[in-house]
Amino acid sequence: MTHPFEKAGLGKAPFSCTGVSENVWDNGDGTTKAGGCCDYCGTGIRWEFWIKGSVAGAKQFKVGCDCVAKTGWGIEGFEKVRADHTRARRQAGATKRREARKAQIEAERAQRKADRLEATQAWRDANSAIVARLEAFEGNNQFLRDMAYNLAQWGNLSARQLEAVESCFAVIERQEFARANSQHLGAVGDKLVLTIVIERIITLEGIYGRTYITVARDEQGNAITYKGGIIIGNKGETITLKATVKDHTIYNEVRQTVIQRPKVLA
C-alpha cells in the first residue's frame, strides 16, 4: 500500500523525521501567526516537522504533526522528535513563566520601595520640626537617643513613638524652664497661701503606711513639693492651699520649695 506522502509526490517511503523548527510571522502589532505551510495539506503551521524519504539525496519536506497522525502510517523517529519538542516547549514555557513572575515580583518590590520612600518623605515633611530636633539631639535621655536611631534606620516613627517623643521633649522644656525660672519662696517657717497645679504624685510604701510626694508649680512656675501621708489633690488639678515653708532644696538643678502641714482652701 502506497504511503499518502508518496502519493502526494513528496518522496519515497519509508519516511523518517529529521527535526522540527518554528516558523512565525510577526504581524507588527504585537501579535504573531503561523509562518509556515504544510507541504502535504497546505494548512498554515507554526511548528514544521521535517520529513525525508528513503531515496538517497531526497529533498526534505515539512508537515504539521496532525498530518503525520492523520496518515496513519509510522514515520521513523517522529515520536522521539515530537516528544523532545514537546518537552523543550514545556521547559521553555516554564522558564518564561518563572522569569515573568520574577520580573513581576521585582517590579512590585520596587514599587513598594518607592511608595515607602514617598510616604517617609511626606511624613518627614509633615513633622520637620520634630525630625530636626531629634536628629540634633545630643542629650543623655536614652529614649530620645533610641528614637533618633530608629529615625535614622527607618526614616520615620510610628504615631505612638511620635507622640512619646513630643511628650518627652515637652518634659525637657519644662525642666529647662524650671531650672532657669524656678525660685525659692519665702523663708523657712513662713506661712504662705499658694495656688498650684499638681504635676505628679509619687506613692511610697513603708512600714508606717503610705507616703505621698506631690510635685507641683505655682502660677509663676516655681517648683513646690510636699511629702506626707495625705493626698492634697489629683494630678492636673489646680488648688489653693495654705502651708508652711519647711525647706529650700535644689533637685536636678531646679530650686524647690518644700512645704508642710498643707491646708486646702479651694
Side-chain angles (χ1 to χ4, degrees):
M1 188 174 182
T2 305
H3 193 287
F5 288 169
E6 188 173 336
K7 288 182 179 180
L10 297 175
K12 294 291 184 179
F15 295 97
S16 62
C17 182
T18 61
V20 61
S21 62
E22 182 180 16
N23 191 341
V24 179
W25 175 266
D26 188 347
N27 293 320
D29 59 358
T31 62
T32 60
K33 66 179 181 179
C37 179
C38 178
D39 292 336
Y40 176 68
C41 68
T43 301
I45 54 176
R46 180 188 185 113
W47 301 103
E48 300 170 331
F49 287 84
W50 292 94
I51 309 297
K52 72 174 182 178
S54 59
V55 178
K59 184 178 180 181
Q60 295 188 104
F61 59 94
K62 60 187 183 301
V63 295
C65 60
D66 289 342
C67 280
V68 176
K70 288 177 181 177
T71 60
W73 292 65
I75 294 180
E76 181 183 353
F78 172 73
E79 293 298 335
K80 182 179 185 305
V81 170
R82 183 168 64 174
D84 291 344
H85 168 63
T86 300
R87 187 182 308 108
R89 287 184 62 190
R90 288 175 178 172
Q91 291 175 347
T95 300
K96 184 177 181 180
R97 288 192 295 273
R98 283 195 300 270
E99 291 176 349
R101 179 55 181 161
K102 181 179 178 181
Q104 179 184 4
I105 291 173
E106 291 177 350
E108 291 174 352
R109 184 181 294 118
Q111 184 60 50
R112 287 195 297 270
K113 182 178 180 180
D115 292 343
R116 283 196 301 269
L117 289 175
E118 182 179 355
T120 297
Q121 189 58 52
W123 183 92
R124 293 176 70 90
D125 291 342
N127 300 279
S128 57
I130 202 74
V131 168
R133 189 170 184 182
L134 197 55
E135 289 179 338
F137 181 73
E138 296 181 350
N140 296 323
N141 187 294
Q142 189 58 50
F143 172 74
L144 290 180
R145 294 171 70 90
D146 290 343
M147 291 301 99
Y149 173 81
N150 286 351
L151 182 63
Q153 185 76 9
W154 305 109
N156 59 9
L157 301 175
S158 68
R160 294 184 64 181
Q161 287 174 333
L162 177 61
E163 182 180 356
V165 167
E166 291 174 336
S167 177
C168 197
F169 275 129
V171 170
I172 291 175
E173 289 173 355
R174 289 197 298 270
Q175 291 173 342
E176 291 175 347
F177 178 84
R179 280 194 289 270
N181 298 282
S182 182
Q183 302 295 326
H184 290 138
L185 300 177
V188 174
D190 286 353
K191 290 180 172 54
L192 304 176
V193 175
L194 305 168
T195 298
I196 61 174
V197 177
I198 299 175
E199 294 184 342
R200 190 166 71 255
I201 300 173
I202 303 171
T203 303
L204 303 177
E205 298 286 350
I207 59 175
Y208 299 108
R210 291 181 178 177
T211 300
Y212 303 97
I213 299 177
T214 302
V215 180
R217 289 189 188 281
D218 68 4
E219 296 169 307
Q220 287 72 44
N222 299 307
I224 313 292
T225 61
Y226 164 69
K227 181 178 181 181
I230 63 171
I231 297 177
I232 60 176
N234 298 316
K235 181 179 178 180
E237 186 178 359
T238 300
I239 62 174
T240 300
L241 53 75
K242 183 177 181 180
T244 301
V245 177
K246 179 181 180 181
D247 195 8
H248 289 149
T249 62
I250 297 178
Y251 179 74
N252 283 344
E253 301 180 17
V254 178
R255 289 180 285 274
Q256 297 181 334
T257 299
V258 182
I259 61 173
Q260 62 182 350
R261 294 189 293 275
K263 181 179 179 181
V264 178
L265 303 178

